[in-house]
Amino acid sequence: MKIGKLVLSTLLVFGALVSHALEIKPYSASVLEQTQKADKPVALHFHADWCPTCRAQTKVLQDLKSEAGLDITVLVANYDTEKDLKRRFNVRAQSTLVVLHGEKETYRVVGDTSPGGLRGALKSAL
């Protein structure tokens, strides 16, 4: 009986950690709309494959996925092709991270590759 309780406790703790984790997805207008309508935190990462700063930011964001408490979705938008989205959010440079809680912008960072800077930006929407 004790082993069963231990296994159940472990699964519950692990489930809680997984359910509150950073999620990174390709940009989709429908996902952005659904997240904003649900008044949830979301970030747009304007990324270009040719951009070394963007690649560094992606690595940091991937590393942040293992941190508990960052319950936010990051949508990766192609800087070169998402022209309407760039206009909508007034983005003028690749490597821009626009953080939102619902419809409200809570933070914007351009070119920052530090884990503390990106973590702080993401936490602004929580």
Side-chain angles (χ1 to χ4, degrees), residues 6-73:
L6 180 63
V7 169
L8 180 59
S9 295
T10 303
L11 289 173
L12 290 172
V13 168
F14 181 73
L17 290 175
V18 170
S19 68
H20 297 289
L22 177 72
E23 185 176 17
I24 301 172
K25 298 179 175 182
Y27 167 73
S28 157
S30 63
V31 172
L32 177 60
E33 181 182 353
Q34 290 169 0
T35 307
Q36 287 185 302
K37 282 185 179 180
D39 201 34
K40 300 265 186 190
V42 64
L44 294 167
H45 181 212
F46 288 87
H47 180 277
D49 290 338
W50 49 264
C51 169
T53 303
C54 299
R55 290 193 300 270
Q57 287 174 325
T58 296
K59 181 178 179 341
V60 171
L61 291 170
Q62 288 293 334
D63 291 346
L64 291 175
K65 285 174 70 171
S66 63
E67 282 193 24
L70 280 178
D71 188 17
I72 186 169
T73 300

Side-chain angles (χ1 to χ4, degrees), residues 53 57 91-97 107-113:
T53 303
Q57 287 174 325
V91 171
R92 300 187 187 278
Q94 73 281 359
S95 74
T96 299
L97 187 71
Y107 210 91
R108 178 179 296 239
V109 64
V110 180
D112 190 348
T113 59

